[in-house]
Amino acid sequence: MKLTVIGHWGGYPSKNEASSGYLLEHDGFQLLVDCGSGVLAKMQNIIGPENLDAVILSHYHPDHIADIGVLQHARLIQGLLGKDVPTLPIYGHDENREEFRRLSYKEITKGIAYHPAKHLMIGPFQITFLQTNHPVPCYAMRIEANGKAIVYTADSAYKEEFIEFAKNADVLLCECNFYGSQNGKKAGHMNSFEAGRLAQKATVSQLILTHLPHYGQISELVHEASSEYTGIIKLAEEFLTIAV
Ligand code: ZN
């Protein structure tokens, strides 16, 4: 499995960068996890929009879905230009009917509701879900293929259930929207100490901090998380690639 970070900023994209978007590839299958602002522009450095095989969304905040509309336009236009562009499945929860409806567009994309209590197979990936603590319904994902696991927390305050959910993952892609001195509970986000503690308790192989804040020295997040977690810690950055 190969993970490529397309965008990693919390809330909105930083200048010339993107908010949440992660490309997962295995056996030639290309799955985009979240599709925030700036993702479509940045993703084209790696893969054309017509070459995606599926998209899955954690929740419907703009920094995770803003580029769905332009992804639909891109596939429409590439199809009109003569490329073979099949209907793209976009998986999302259907707890917000209006947002879910927008995932379907002509024959270009089709919204498919995932059922968080069940396993989901998308191409070679087996996905399980955990509801997060966030102001709107949001789901973390444990994505497995070929005996490897990548766990993406999506947006969430710290919750104990993450420990079991992320157990022994090869990569924990953990949101870290706050510094250690801040409390993210009300906003539905984690701080650096919580991300580190989760990685340590879940005994993951490496921790990638993402959904990063737009202020302060973000390298400080790694320093803080390392007081809780003894393994490898990286900051998410554009086009960071990790193969497991
Ligand atoms: Zn959110």
Side-chain angles (χ1 to χ4, degrees):
M1 240 190 312
K2 190 167 96 178
L3 163 70
T4 305
V5 175
I6 308 293
H8 60 278
W9 292 105
Y12 66 96
S14 191
K15 186 166 78 177
N16 296 327
E17 300 213 357
S19 60
S20 298
Y22 309 94
L23 190 64
L24 274 179
E25 189 273 332
H26 184 63
D27 274 352
F29 193 96
Q30 305 277 0
L31 172 67
L32 179 65
V33 180
D34 284 341
C35 187
S37 179
V39 166
L40 194 75
K42 288 295 175 185
M43 188 184 72
Q44 290 174 74
N45 290 286
I46 313 284
I47 178 182
E50 70 279 13
N51 294 323
L52 282 180
D53 294 299
V55 178
I56 188 164
L57 303 173
S58 60
H59 68 305
Y60 297 110
H61 274 157
D63 55 328
H64 295 253
I65 60 157
D67 275 9
I68 288 292
V70 288
L71 170 62
Q72 290 165 333
H73 284 175
R75 303 237 344 164
L76 172 70
I77 291 165
Q78 290 301 317
L80 292 173
L81 291 174
K83 285 200 184 146
D84 176 29
V85 186
T87 302
L88 179 72
I90 304 180
Y91 295 83
H93 69 67
D94 63 357
E95 291 168 53
N96 182 326
R97 298 299 305 180
E98 200 181 318
E99 295 285 1
F100 177 72
R101 221 174 293 127
R102 288 199 192 117
L103 304 184
S104 295
Y105 174 64
K106 302 185 178 184
E107 299 293 300
I108 304 298
T109 61
K110 180 167 172 50
I112 300 174
Y114 57 71
H115 300 284
K118 293 183 184 163
H119 290 182
L120 173 68
M121 287 301 302
I122 303 179
F125 302 109
Q126 178 176 280
I127 303 177
T128 48
F129 299 94
L130 177 71
Q131 180 151 27
T132 74
N133 289 355
H134 202 55
V136 299
C138 176
Y139 292 91
M141 302 167 206
R142 184 182 178 103
I143 302 171
E144 297 178 78
N146 209 20
K148 302 288 183 181
I150 293 174
V151 172
Y152 170 47
T153 63
D155 287 9
S156 186
Y158 184 81
K159 59 189 282 181
E160 288 291 318
E161 290 88 338
F162 270 130
I163 298 166
E164 196 52 44
F165 187 71
K167 206 74 190 175
N168 298 328
D170 297 279
V171 175
L172 174 61
L173 183 58
C174 188
E175 80 120 278
C176 184
N177 208 32
F178 286 97
Y179 290 89
S181 60
Q182 300 174 293
N183 185 343
K185 201 172 175 185
K186 258 201 188 135
H189 291 293
M190 277 184 253
N191 71 23
S192 49
F193 291 133
E194 291 165 327
R197 199 173 310 139
L198 170 57
Q200 186 70 16
K201 288 188 173 175
T203 57
V204 302
S205 301
Q206 61 176 307
L207 170 63
I208 313 294
L209 302 176
T210 194
H211 204 280
L212 302 175
H214 292 270
Y215 51 88
Q217 278 293 334
I218 54 174
S219 58
E220 193 56 26
L221 297 169
V222 174
H223 180 70
E224 290 170 347
S226 69
S227 68
E228 299 280 340
Y229 175 58
T230 52
I232 302 161
I233 308 176
K234 291 177 189 150
L235 280 179
E237 59 176 312
E238 191 176 285
F239 308 141
L240 170 71
T241 298
I242 292 165
V244 294

